[in-house]
């Protein structure tokens, strides 16, 4: 698509080419899902601004060059005659505006080859493609290469070119540019080009200034740290840019049925209690529903009570209602109070009003998203801690039960004047274990311990705890097969004890009518090339139904009688995972067996600390209570 050609006698060709690049850049940005579409439009509009700068700085020397085709040859001539190219001049000019963006770089590099811009910012690639497509057909090799750089194929480029033609005509009509005159090819001349009509030049200048101001306002909005700061910045910027006497913000409520005042400025209390129903005949509600700018005067349509209130609140005789649009729907309305005499000038600047509203809408939508994400993260953390608290309560109940039973034994022995050192030692251990479980709620890293753990000893201690405290009914018999196998594993003794207490307690509860429990050390096992020690806990109960077995290690409501929460096995699963082990369960009508694979100490570990075979595999794991399965 060739929109403009060189060798015209005035600036129409320059501006028609700039507008073409701007419209095409916006279309490309939309196809690429670039988040700052208006910034792309502005970059396309200004990509050749350096040519005007050079013409203003050296009108006689640059007059002929200004009429030349905008390509690499022109840049070479500019470098040779003026020691600066128009791309460099334009970039320096934009940099002087101190914009926080890659807009200057997009101007600086718009004559580079596609091969050099492969890893550059999207805006730079967008402007390169827009510049080429506004000068060449869509199947030109340079255009195709730039299209590949932007992820756009030749057919899409052709569609963009065709779509841009009508948009360019509308833009040039709006700005008072004679596109037909710009397309007409004139013979080469050496005289300086005639100036554009004053009205057109003034309007173009204002258009560029407004786009820059709107873009800069958007960057100012993005730097706000909170929603309150953002609302203050938007209303303050509106007062400065549009001459509002005062400005307030109305946001759509959660149900989308009314506009609610935001606590901004000196009217905080009254604004938070102010509302306009969208179903009412209010002109402001109409502006929100129709998504159009509304200009309201006392002398015009009769105001509703809401508008009368806002007039008094803002201390003006006219209002401007500027809808904020996000995703094709109105999310709020910016209300500006202004003198009636200023309305005509503001209507002429409606395009600027809409550009400003678009920047404000984007910033507010982003703030809403961040707040929603923050609320979701907070809820997730709260849920994790709630789950961790439930697990702590569940696990603390085990040592507390042992302590309670041992206190009963201790009381009986003291009455008989029998020695109680053994019981006191166990009580001390269990009290320490309660503290460790509670501390596990806040610890983020599992603790390593010196040396390896003798699993046979831990298993024997657990059986003794249950038997000594009479927790095991007389109808239940516990058998152990431990001492004839290697026993060292790479896990903390407290962790192994916590695993076994839960599994043995579950096995006892599975035998309400009595039966047999077997705890066995089955020796070493090679699983996927790694050695483990296999510990099994078997009961002779009625087995676990298939539907429960399928979700056995998932937290849920227990099917047992009493105050059970269905957490024990999920905690066991978490603990086994933390130490780098595995757990399996098989069940039938003849009973249930849990097989726990516990990691062996690393033979290459010269420090003697456990965890290289287990804890090191989950160094980033959470504490025992926080690791949700």
């Amino acid at each position: 698509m060739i929109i403009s050609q060189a060798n015209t006698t005035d600036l129409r060709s320059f501006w028609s080419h700039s507008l073409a690049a701007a419209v095409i850049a916006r279309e490309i940005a939309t196809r690429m899902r670039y988040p700052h579409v208006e910034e792309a439009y502005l970059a396309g509009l200004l990509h050749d601004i350096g040519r005007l700068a050079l013409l203003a700085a050296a009108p006689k020397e640059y007059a002929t060059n200004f009429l030349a085709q905008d390509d690499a040859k022109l840049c070479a001539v500019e470098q040779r005659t003026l020691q600066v190219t128009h791309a460099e001049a334009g970039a320096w000019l934009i940099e002087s505006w101190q914009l926080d963006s890659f807009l200057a770089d997009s101007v600086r590099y718009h004559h580079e080859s596609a091969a050099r811009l492969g890893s550059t910012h999207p805006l730079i690639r967008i402007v390169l493609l827009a510049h080429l497509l506004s000068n060449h057909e869509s199947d030109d090799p340079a255009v195709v290469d730039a299209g590949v750089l932007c992820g756009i194929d030749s057919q899409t480029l052709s569609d963009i070119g065709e779509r841009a033609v009508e948009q360019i005509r509308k833009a040039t009509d709006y700005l008072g540019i004679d596109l037909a005159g710009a397309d007409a090819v004139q013979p080469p001349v050496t005289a300086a080009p005639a100036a554009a009509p004053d009205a057109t030049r003034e309007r173009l200048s204002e258009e560029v200034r407004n786009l820059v101001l709107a873009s800069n306002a958007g960057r100012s909005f993005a730097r706000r740290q909170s929603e309150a700061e953002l609302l203050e910045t938007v209303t303050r910027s509106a007062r400065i840019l549009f001459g509002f006497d005062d400005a307030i913000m109305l946001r759509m409520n959660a149900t989308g049925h009314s506009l609610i005042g935001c606590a901004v400025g000196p009217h905080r209390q009254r604004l938070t209690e102010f509302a306009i129903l969208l179903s009412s005949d209010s002109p402001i509600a109409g502006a929100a529903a129709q998504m159009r700018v509304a200009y309201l005067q006392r002398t015009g349509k009769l105001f509703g009570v809401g508008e009368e209130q806002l007039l008094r609140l803002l201390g003006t005789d006219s209002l401007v209602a500027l809808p904020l649009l996000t995703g094709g729907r109105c999310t709020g309305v910016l209300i500006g109070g202004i003198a009636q005499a200023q309305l005509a000038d503001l209507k002429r600047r409606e395009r600027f009003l809409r550009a400003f509203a678009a920047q404000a809408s984007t910033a507010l939508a982003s703030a809403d998203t961040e707040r929603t994400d923050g609320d979701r993260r907070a809820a997730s953390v709260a849920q994790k801690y709630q789950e961790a608290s439930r697990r702590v309560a569940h696990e603390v109940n085990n040592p507390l039960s042992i302590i309670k039973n041992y206190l009963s034994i201790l009381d009986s022995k003291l009455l008989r004047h029998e020695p109680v050192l053994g019981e006191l030692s166990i009580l001390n251990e269990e009290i320490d274990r309660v503290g460790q479980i509670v501390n596990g709620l806040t610890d983020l890293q599992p603790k390593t311990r010196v040396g390896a753990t003798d699993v046979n000893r831990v298993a024997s201690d657990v059986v003794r705890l249950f038997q000594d405290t009479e927790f095991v009914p007389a109808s239940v018999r516990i058998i152990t097969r431990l001492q004839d196998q290697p026993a060292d594993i790479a896990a903390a003794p407290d962790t192994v004890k916590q695993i076994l207490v839960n599994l043995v307690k579950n096995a006892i509860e599975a035998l309400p009518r009595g039966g047999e429990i077997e705890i066995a050390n089955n020796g070493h096992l090679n699983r996927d090339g790694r050695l483990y020690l296999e510990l099994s806990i078997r009961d002779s109960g009625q087995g676990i139904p298939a539907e429960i077995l399928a979700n056995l290690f998932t937290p849920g409501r227990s099917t047992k009688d009493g105050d059970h929460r269905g957490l024990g096995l999920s905690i066991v699963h978490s603990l086994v995972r933390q130490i780098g082990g595995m757990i399996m369960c098989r069940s039938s009508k003849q009973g249930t067996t849990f097989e726990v694979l516990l990691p062996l100490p690393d033979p290459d570990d010269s420090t003697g600390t456990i965890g290289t075979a287990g804890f090191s595999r989950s160094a980033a794991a959470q504490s025992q209570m926080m690791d949700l399965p």
Side-chain angles (χ1 to χ4, degrees), residues 488-536:
D488 286 348
I489 61 168
D494 289 341
T495 303
V496 179
K497 184 175 184 179
Q498 197 172 350
I499 292 169
L500 284 172
V501 166
N502 274 289
L503 292 176
V504 173
K505 188 167 178 282
N506 268 25
I508 294 171
E509 291 170 349
L511 300 170
R513 298 181 180 85
E516 183 179 275
I517 298 172
E518 180 188 76
I519 303 173
N521 177 346
N522 298 322
H524 291 171
L525 177 144
N526 186 315
R527 177 72 178 266
D528 295 332
R530 187 177 177 205
L531 286 178
Y532 298 89
L533 184 148
E534 181 184 315
L535 191 67
S536 63

Side-chain angles (χ1 to χ4, degrees), residues 127-157:
V127 173
L128 170 69
L129 179 55
H131 163 69
L132 291 172
L133 190 55
S134 63
N135 275 308
H136 304 283
E137 299 293 343
S138 59
D139 57 356
D140 184 277
V143 175
V144 173
D145 290 344
V148 171
L149 205 61
C150 296
I152 300 177
D153 58 38
S154 298
Q155 181 57 51
T156 305
L157 289 174

Side-chain angles (χ1 to χ4, degrees), residues 544-556 566 569-570:
I544 301 172
E547 62 273 14
I548 296 177
L549 189 64
N551 300 292
L552 194 62
F553 300 116
T554 302
L569 291 178
S570 70

Side-chain angles (χ1 to χ4, degrees), residues 57-115:
K60 292 183 179 179
E61 295 86 349
Y62 194 66
T64 302
N65 290 340
F66 185 82
L67 301 173
Q69 181 72 27
D70 183 15
D71 55 19
K73 293 180 180 179
L74 172 61
C75 293
V77 172
E78 292 169 340
Q79 187 66 49
R80 187 174 64 252
T81 57
L82 300 175
Q83 287 74 54
V84 62
T85 68
H86 69 277
E88 293 169 335
W92 290 340
L93 176 63
I94 293 172
E95 283 174 344
S96 70
W97 300 340
Q98 297 183 340
L99 300 180
D100 182 20
S101 78
F102 284 93
L103 197 150
D105 282 347
S106 70
V107 171
R108 178 179 284 109
Y109 299 118
H110 77 271
H111 277 293
E112 290 288 346
S113 65

Side-chain angles (χ1 to χ4, degrees), residues 220 224 229-241 247 264 356:
S220 176
R224 299 307 97 191
E229 287 182 355
L230 176 57
L231 291 171
E232 290 280 4
T233 302
V234 170
T235 52
R236 184 173 62 250
S237 299
R239 291 196 299 269
I240 295 171
L241 292 175
V264 179
F356 178 86

Side-chain angles (χ1 to χ4, degrees), residues 222 224-225 365-377:
R224 299 307 97 191
Q225 297 299 312
S366 178
D368 288 343
T369 300
E370 289 180 7
R371 185 179 66 252
T372 301
D373 289 344
D375 292 344
R376 190 180 297 113
R377 287 193 296 270

Side-chain angles (χ1 to χ4, degrees), residues 399 403 423-436 457 461 464-465 494 497:
I403 291 171
E423 285 75 11
L424 288 174
S425 175
I426 290 174
L427 284 172
N428 187 57
E429 289 179 5
E430 293 305 304
I431 290 171
D432 286 344
R433 192 153 74 92
V434 170
Q436 291 165 8
R457 180 177 177 180
D461 288 345
R464 181 166 57 87
L465 278 175
D494 289 341
K497 184 175 184 179

